[in-house]
């Protein structure tokens, strides 16, 4: 067989030999590319290599690329002119947000009569007319007149069996329990108090005053505290930081202040009493010590951490304030304007739909990655296992 092969090669035209060599080289190149791709896949599946790459990228984050340093002096000079223009843009943007704040204040006055009427209905100060109560729900569109009449009779029968409730009981408590951001703050001992919450209002700072807004929580008389209104004020800034003007991205909340709560004796849910047993080292006697310590409660919302004059906070206080700012902004922007939709759950469904869309995209990407792994002949599932203890992030 070897002789036949040699004979065939000897009889081949030199031009044909060149073609064969070129084909072999091309095939070799494809093999090398395939091996390179497989090697890359294996490397990207290695946790140690990924960690090293991430550390390298973290080190590069925010560092200059070197391109600016390579530019001629005259070009750098012009780039500085562009940066000065950018600073002026930031100051104009700050003025834009100040005017937006003025518009918010103007339209808040237009919304307020509607919100006041909402409050009157909730607390039974006003009974809406039949015309005001008419609402064509989506599921009722296809119902026949007979079915509508039957449903109406059943509802009237249920109403007769129950006591006639006043207004809309537990309106705001239901809103809070329906929203994850707020329900996470609620404790079981908070709920009896929030049943007395009748309204939440947003008040903007007066014209010419520093930008701020205040959340007002209006309560009916109750056995827990004597306040009728609890307030939380958020002070904002809408101007670029002189030391870092390019970081400006609209108004930011600088600090917030709550208010004192005049608790009825024994009703303060922000504190709890604990008993500890202490043993005397010498005599061995045991005594019981009673201590008052902070307690988890929604009403801690009204005593946020104070920001010192130097603006420096510990990590825990920073985290608390960051969450506080998010909650205050959410109540102002979403809860107060759309309270009834959070009461019914419709606004929550809309929010969930938004997250579902993002989740579906993520699932699709994961599916594509899994498919790539399955199609990879060199894929080793063992390489996806957890890294050794010394390689885990601390």
């Amino acid at each position: 067989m070897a002789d036949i092969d040699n004979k065939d090669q000897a009889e081949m035209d030199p031009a044909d030999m060149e073609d064969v060599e070129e084909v072999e080289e091309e095939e070799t190149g494809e093999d090398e590319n395939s091996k390179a791709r497989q090697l890359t896949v294996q490397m990207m599946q290695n946790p140690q290599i990924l960690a090293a790459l991430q550390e390298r990228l973290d080190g590069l984050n925010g560092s200059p690329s070197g391109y600016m340093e390579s530019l001629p002096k005259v070009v750098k000079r012009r780039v500085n002119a562009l940066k000065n223009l950018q600073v002026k843009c930031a100051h104009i943007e700050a003025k834009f947000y100040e005017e937006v704040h003025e518009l918010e204040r103007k339209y808040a006055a237009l919304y307020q009569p509607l919100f006041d009427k909402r409050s009157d209905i909730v607390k039974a100060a006003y009974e809406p007319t039949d015309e005001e109560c008419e609402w064509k729900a989506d599921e009722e569109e296809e119902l026949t007149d007979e079915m509508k009449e039957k449903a109406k009779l059943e509802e009237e029968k249920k109403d007769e069996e129950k006591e006639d409730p006043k207004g809309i009981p537990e309106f705001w408590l239901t809103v809070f329990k329906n929203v994850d951001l707020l329900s996470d703050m609620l404790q079981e001992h908070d709920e009896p108090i929030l049943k007395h919450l009748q309204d939440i209002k947003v008040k903007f700072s007066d014209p010419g005053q520093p930008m701020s807004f205040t959340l007002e929580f209006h309560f009916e008389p109750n056995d827990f505290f004597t306040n009728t209104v609890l307030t939380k004020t958020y002070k904002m800034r809408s101007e670029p930081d002189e030391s870092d003007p390019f970081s400006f991205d609209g108004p930011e909340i600088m600090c917030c202040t709550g208010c004192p709560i005049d608790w009825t004796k024994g009703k303060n849910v922000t504190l709890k009493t604990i008993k500890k047993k202490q043993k005397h080292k010498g005599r061995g006697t045991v005594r019981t010590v009673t201590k008052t310590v902070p307690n988890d409660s929604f009403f801690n919302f009204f005593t946020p951490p104070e920001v010192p004059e130097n603006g420096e906070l510990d990590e825990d206080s920073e985290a608390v304030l960051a969450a506080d700012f998010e909650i205050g902004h959410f109540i102002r922007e979403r809860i107060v304007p759309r309270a009834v939709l959070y009461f019914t759950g419709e606004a929550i469904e809309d929010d969930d739909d938004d997250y579902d869309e993002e989740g579906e995209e993520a699932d699709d990407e994961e599916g594509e990655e899994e498919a790539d792994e399955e199609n990879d002949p060199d894929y080793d599932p063992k390489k996806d296992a957890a890294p050794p203890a010394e390689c885990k992030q601390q």
Side-chain angles (χ1 to χ4, degrees):
M1 287 296 294
D3 292 340
I4 294 173
D5 291 341
N6 291 335
K7 182 179 179 181
D8 289 342
Q9 289 181 4
E11 292 175 356
M12 292 181 89
D13 187 87
D16 294 337
M17 289 292 291
E18 290 178 5
D19 291 341
V20 170
E21 288 173 3
E22 288 178 4
V23 170
E24 287 178 351
E25 286 177 2
E26 289 176 2
E27 289 177 350
T28 303
E30 289 179 2
D31 289 343
E32 289 177 355
N33 289 337
S34 177
K35 289 179 180 179
R37 285 195 297 270
Q38 292 172 5
L39 181 60
T40 301
V41 170
Q42 291 174 5
M43 289 174 63
M44 296 310 292
Q45 291 171 353
N46 189 313
Q48 290 93 334
I49 293 176
L50 286 176
L53 285 172
Q54 185 62 51
E55 185 178 354
R56 175 64 174 164
L57 290 172
D58 290 342
L60 292 173
N61 187 28
S63 61
S65 63
Y67 176 71
M68 281 298 297
E69 287 75 7
S70 68
L71 293 175
K73 186 176 180 180
V74 65
V75 176
K76 291 181 182 178
R77 181 172 173 272
R78 294 169 188 146
V79 170
N80 289 337
L82 296 184
K83 292 170 76 172
N84 284 325
L85 291 175
Q86 189 63 43
V87 171
K88 291 180 179 179
C89 287
H91 283 283
I92 292 174
E93 186 179 6
K95 293 294 182 184
F96 164 78
Y97 283 113
E98 287 177 6
E99 292 194 20
V100 168
H101 188 70
E102 294 296 324
L103 276 175
E104 283 185 308
R105 178 173 32 245
K106 173 186 174 182
Y107 278 88
L110 300 177
Y111 287 129
Q112 197 54 51
L114 302 177
F115 294 156
D116 288 342
K117 196 166 189 177
R118 176 181 72 188
S119 177
D120 288 341
I121 293 173
V122 167
K123 62 186 182 184
Y126 172 77
E127 183 62 33
T129 65
D130 291 341
E131 183 180 355
E132 290 175 321
C133 293
E134 284 184 10
W135 180 261
K136 186 178 182 181
D138 294 338
E139 63 269 15
E140 291 180 0
E141 292 179 359
E142 299 179 2
L143 293 178
T144 64
D145 292 338
E146 184 179 349
M147 292 174 68
K148 289 180 183 178
E149 186 64 27
K150 184 178 180 182
K152 184 179 178 182
L153 290 172
E154 288 180 358
E155 285 183 8
E156 289 176 353
K157 186 177 179 181
K158 288 180 181 178
D159 289 341
E160 288 174 2
E161 294 173 355
K162 295 180 181 178
E163 283 187 29
D164 183 22
K166 302 297 182 184
I168 303 179
E170 303 180 15
F171 178 82
W172 289 102
L173 173 59
T174 304
V175 170
F176 277 42
K177 292 171 75 172
N178 281 346
V179 179
D180 289 341
L181 187 64
L182 302 178
S183 65
D184 289 344
M185 302 168 64
L186 294 185
Q187 306 298 322
E188 188 175 346
H189 48 252
D190 294 324
E191 295 188 16
I193 309 175
L194 288 171
K195 289 179 181 179
H196 298 285
L197 179 59
Q198 293 184 317
D199 198 11
I200 303 176
K201 295 181 179 180
V202 180
K203 295 292 179 69
F204 292 93
S205 53
D206 294 330
Q209 296 297 315
M211 189 183 295
S212 68
F213 68 92
T214 299
L215 301 176
E216 294 183 351
F217 295 74
H218 292 253
F219 288 84
E220 65 182 351
N222 59 78
D223 297 331
F224 298 93
F225 45 71
T226 58
N227 310 66
T228 56
V229 181
L230 301 180
T231 61
K232 186 73 171 288
T233 300
Y234 292 86
K235 295 180 181 179
M236 299 183 293
R237 181 179 69 181
S238 181
E239 58 183 22
D241 186 342
E242 292 183 3
S243 62
D244 186 16
F246 303 131
S247 65
F248 180 74
D249 191 27
E252 57 180 336
I253 296 175
M254 301 304 297
C255 64
C256 59
T257 53
C259 70
I261 301 178
D262 301 322
W263 294 99
T264 304
K265 187 176 181 180
K267 298 288 188 178
N268 189 347
V269 295
T270 65
L271 298 174
K272 64 181 178 181
T273 302
I274 61 172
K275 292 182 179 181
K276 283 189 174 182
K277 290 185 177 180
Q278 295 180 342
K279 188 175 182 180
H280 194 279
K281 292 182 179 179
R283 297 190 295 270
T285 57
V286 177
R287 67 172 183 173
T288 301
V289 178
T290 302
K291 293 179 65 176
T292 301
V293 296
N295 191 27
D296 290 338
S297 169
F298 164 76
F299 291 91
N300 291 323
F301 179 69
F302 298 98
T303 53
E306 292 185 7
V307 180
E309 291 183 3
N310 60 11
E312 294 182 3
L313 291 167
D314 57 60
E315 290 185 5
D316 290 341
S317 296
E318 281 186 359
V320 170
L321 278 180
D324 191 299
F325 294 169
E326 181 183 1
I327 292 164
H329 184 74
F330 190 81
I331 292 174
R332 167 196 162 185
E333 293 285 330
R334 306 292 292 274
I335 298 298
V336 172
R338 309 177 70 201
V340 65
L341 300 181
Y342 284 98
F343 176 80
T344 62
E346 292 167 86
I348 301 159
E349 291 172 4
D350 292 342
D351 293 344
D352 289 344
D353 289 343
D354 294 339
Y355 284 112
D356 286 344
E357 289 174 5
E358 295 177 3
E360 287 170 6
E361 291 176 4
D363 291 343
D364 291 343
E365 291 174 2
E366 289 175 3
E368 290 175 5
E369 291 177 1
E370 290 174 1
D372 291 342
E373 291 170 353
E374 291 174 0
N375 295 331
D376 182 3
D378 295 323
Y379 171 61
D380 184 358
K382 294 180 181 178
K383 293 181 179 180
D384 278 346
E390 64 271 18
C391 296
K392 290 182 180 178
Q393 292 184 355
Q394 299 298 320

